[in-house]
């Protein structure tokens, strides 16, 4: 059996909600609320799946004081 190495979160371009929660230490419920905002620019919809654009998410985190 060949085992694939997982790509580290910090190298991924897009993150699942679970990965984004682990990456940022922000809860999944709070992330879900954030991506539902009409002004959210770091969410990517792939069908029904929601992904977080990591680089834009990093910029968002750097520019806020409170969530």
């Amino acid at each position: 059996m060949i085992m694939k190495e997982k790509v580290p979160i910090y190298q991924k371009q897009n993150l699942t909600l679970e990965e984004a929660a682990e990456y940022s230490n922000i809860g999944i419920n709070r992330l879900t609320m954030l991506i539902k905002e009409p002004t959210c620019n770091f969410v990517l919809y792939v069908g029904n799946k929601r992904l977080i654009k990591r680089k834009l998410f990093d910029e968002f985190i750097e520019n806020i004081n409170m969530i």
Side-chain angles (χ1 to χ4, degrees), residues 1 4 9 28 31 35 40 51 53 65:
M1 178 187 287
K4 286 186 178 181
I9 288 176
I28 292 174
L31 286 172
I35 64 175
C40 179
L51 297 174
K53 300 175 188 176
N65 295 321

Side-chain angles (χ1 to χ4, degrees), residues 2-40:
I2 298 174
M3 297 196 45
K4 286 186 178 181
E5 289 186 36
K6 288 184 97 175
V7 176
I9 288 176
Y10 66 89
Q11 289 183 344
K12 290 186 172 188
Q13 185 169 351
N14 299 302
L15 307 172
T16 64
L17 283 174
E18 292 80 11
E19 290 171 335
E22 181 181 340
Y23 177 74
S24 65
N25 205 28
I26 298 172
I28 292 174
N29 291 336
R30 178 61 71 185
L31 286 172
T32 301
M33 288 175 49
L34 289 171
I35 64 175
K36 287 182 180 179
E37 293 291 323
T39 58
C40 179

